Amino acid sequence: MSTAVARILGDLRRRGGLRGADIANIVDVSPPTVSRWSTGKGSPSLRTQTMIAELRYVVECLSDLYSPEQTRLWLHTPHPLLDRERAVDLIHEGRTEEVLAVIDRLEAGAYL
């Protein structure tokens, strides 16, 4: 049975190159938990669903600029426009708006 969360997780894998362990680390659960969500055998809390939705939006924006493998790398690498912090850490901390602001700058060609 496919749930909305399972579809989003599949999208994160396809478009963002993310693995179950990546998603688990971002939302602070175990990889088997993400696997259960992917198969529709469980459902995350509303707070975690919100974090997953925000991650999906970030991945969607990045997919206009990068391949899935590049998107995964971008999310996990400290970025100078994020004060050398990693986007995955900021998303985990609820600071997704900062990540989206940098992506907007990248889309506009304003790298400095």
Side-chain angles (χ1 to χ4, degrees):
M1 177 168 128
S2 179
T3 66
V5 171
R7 286 189 301 272
I8 291 171
L9 294 172
D11 195 43
L12 290 172
R13 287 183 175 99
R14 279 187 307 283
R15 295 178 79 185
L18 296 175
R19 301 174 184 146
D22 296 325
I23 297 165
N25 288 332
I26 294 166
V27 300
D28 201 23
V29 298
S30 70
T33 298
V34 173
S35 180
R36 282 192 299 278
W37 298 340
S38 295
T39 60
K41 295 179 182 171
S43 182
S45 69
L46 183 57
R47 179 183 181 280
T48 302
Q49 287 180 41
T50 301
M51 196 180 312
I52 291 169
E54 289 176 353
L55 177 60
R56 178 189 191 190
Y57 185 66
V58 168
V59 164
E60 182 180 311
C61 293
L62 287 170
S63 72
D64 291 337
L65 300 169
Y66 304 114
S67 71
E69 296 79 19
Q70 291 169 324
T71 295
R72 181 176 183 268
L73 183 61
W74 193 93
L75 288 167
H76 283 86
T77 303
H79 199 285
L81 295 177
L82 293 170
D83 294 327
R84 306 293 308 153
E85 293 186 76
R86 299 179 328 152
V88 291
D89 296 330
L90 296 179
I91 293 167
H92 175 77
E93 294 169 7
R95 298 167 53 196
T96 305
E97 288 299 320
E98 294 174 49
V99 176
L100 292 171
V102 168
I103 294 169
D104 286 344
R105 290 177 65 189
L106 293 172
E107 287 176 334
Y111 303 108
L112 300 176

